[in-house]
Amino acid sequence: MPTPVAKNSHAELSSALRPALLRVTRMLRNQRADQSLTLTHLSALAALRLNGPMSAGELASFEKVQPPSMTKILATLEGRGLVRRDVHPSDRRQAIIALTPQGDSLLDSERRSRDAWLNKRMAVLTDEERGVLAAAIPVLVKLADQQ
Amino acid sequence: MPTPVAKNSHAELSSALRPALLRVTRMLRNQRADQSLTLTHLSALAALRLNGPMSAGELASFEKVQPPSMTKILATLEGRGLVRRDVHPSDRRQAIIALTPQGDSLLDSERRSRDAWLNKRMAVLTDEERGVLAAAIPVLVKLADQQ
DNA sequence: TATTGTTATACTCTATAACTATA
DNA sequence: TATAGTTATAGAGTATAACAATA
């Protein structure tokens, strides 16, 4: 039986949520070994696919990292030809980042490979449990976007 | 409106889950600045509170890190007097790790402080959304424990 | 002056490989 | 031999501070 969590206690929810998220995220990062992209880089590409081209600052904010961290992530992605950097038409300070066709296609193949790995682990869950995870995603996103 | 997720597609669930977990975990780690313990160290203490004393290897496995990573985490915690290391009575290779009274009380105060911070962000969620998160915790734990 | 992004730097997090001690 | 844990080492992940360019 997994850890029980009282639904009417914020404090207990917060305390239980942190280590659960930390551990499952470690599990996801640990897949990296056999992948060509780290979770960090994959997530940045996915953000560009989801939102379309955006400035480096917007991407940093969306990904919940500081601007210098995004600079480094983008240097790697650009070096591999996965993203393109265009100057904003009316504000030359801004770098508008877009997926290249190579980035788009690597995102697809990386997702297929990672999904196959994760789906295998998801197979132990019931349909109801997978439904709970699916329902949790927009809530996690809303929470991450706080502040 | 948050990202919609089809509940009957494993692949889409996996693809959507990864970045959502990554981003919310970054948000949680970013609180570190004003805390005395990192999320990594807090989680290890919480694991000891939850499970009672356990070997270093069991703790590494529970926390989803490799043994050398746990060695390092424990060195810090022991250096601060938060955990104690006892030799296993019948197998002198094993180090049995236990919370000290100081570790126990620091875990409490750290949780209070972190919970206050997170609860403030949780306040934007509805009761139903918090219920969804609470329901997701055992599922995330079950998923993390796969493999 | 304020904002966008980068450079320089450092610390945290974590892993793999090789080793020691014990079983 | 096999297992538990540590040491040595390196790479990934990320932050703060200081800077440059532009607005």
Side-chain angles (χ1 to χ4, degrees):
Chain A
M1 184 87 81
T3 317
V5 175
K7 296 195 182 176
N8 50 3
S9 158
H10 283 213
E12 195 166 342
L13 174 55
S14 294
S15 280
L17 194 59
R18 277 188 301 265
L21 291 172
L22 178 63
R23 275 146 47 203
V24 73
T25 303
R26 278 178 180 146
M27 180 200 79
L28 294 176
R29 281 196 190 279
N30 285 162
Q31 190 197 357
R32 182 179 55 76
D34 39 304
Q35 302 305 129
S36 71
L37 288 174
T38 66
L39 188 56
T40 296
H41 293 106
L42 177 65
S43 183
L45 292 183
L48 289 170
R49 161 89 57 92
L50 181 67
N51 301 307
M54 55 202 303
S55 76
E58 285 168 334
L59 190 51
S61 165
F62 183 84
E63 286 291 285
K64 313 299 166 207
V65 297
Q66 293 301 308
S69 303
M70 187 48 68
T71 293
K72 211 168 176 180
I73 293 166
L74 291 176
T76 300
L77 293 175
E78 194 182 20
R80 293 188 52 178
L82 306 177
V83 303
R84 189 178 74 233
R85 216 181 276 257
D86 297 315
V87 245
H88 185 100
S90 67
D91 182 349
R92 286 187 305 162
R93 290 172 308 181
Q94 288 186 43
I96 301 300
I97 315 297
L99 273 184
T100 61
Q102 299 97 295
D104 199 74
S105 98
L106 185 57
L107 174 55
D108 278 336
S109 70
E110 192 78 6
R111 269 183 169 169
R112 266 195 300 279
S113 155
R114 284 193 179 255
D115 287 351
W117 183 90
L118 185 51
N119 288 345
K120 201 179 296 174
R121 278 140 192 94
M122 291 258 198
V124 302
L125 303 181
T126 64
D127 281 343
E128 196 193 335
E129 287 172 328
R130 281 186 292 265
V132 166
L133 283 191
I137 294 176
V139 183
L140 291 169
V141 168
K142 185 174 173 182
L143 186 59
D145 285 342
Q146 267 330 97
Q147 205 70 213
Chain B
M1 184 85 82
T3 317
V5 175
K7 296 195 181 174
N8 50 4
S9 159
H10 283 214
E12 195 166 341
L13 174 54
S14 294
S15 281
L17 195 58
R18 279 187 300 265
L21 291 172
L22 178 63
R23 275 147 46 203
V24 74
T25 304
R26 279 177 179 147
M27 180 202 77
L28 294 177
R29 280 195 190 280
N30 285 164
Q31 190 196 355
R32 182 180 54 76
D34 39 304
Q35 302 305 126
S36 72
L37 287 174
T38 66
L39 189 55
T40 296
H41 293 106
L42 177 65
S43 183
L45 292 183
L48 290 170
R49 161 90 56 92
L50 182 67
N51 302 308
M54 55 202 300
S55 76
E58 285 169 333
L59 189 51
S61 165
F62 183 83
E63 285 292 286
K64 313 300 166 206
V65 297
Q66 294 301 309
S69 302
M70 187 49 67
T71 294
K72 212 165 179 182
I73 293 166
L74 291 176
T76 300
L77 293 175
E78 194 181 20
R80 293 188 53 178
L82 306 176
V83 303
R84 188 178 74 233
R85 214 181 278 257
D86 298 315
V87 245
H88 184 102
S90 67
D91 181 348
R92 287 186 305 161
R93 292 172 306 180
Q94 287 185 43
I96 302 300
I97 315 297
L99 272 184
T100 60
Q102 299 96 294
D104 199 74
S105 98
L106 185 57
L107 174 55
D108 277 337
S109 69
E110 192 79 5
R111 269 183 167 167
R112 266 195 300 278
S113 154
R114 285 192 179 255
D115 287 352
W117 183 91
L118 185 51
N119 288 345
K120 201 179 295 176
R121 278 137 194 95
M122 292 257 199
V124 301
L125 304 181
T126 64
D127 281 344
E128 196 192 337
E129 287 172 328
R130 280 186 293 265
V132 166
L133 283 192
I137 293 176
V139 183
L140 291 169
V141 168
K142 185 174 173 182
L143 187 60
D145 286 342
Q146 266 331 98
Q147 205 71 217

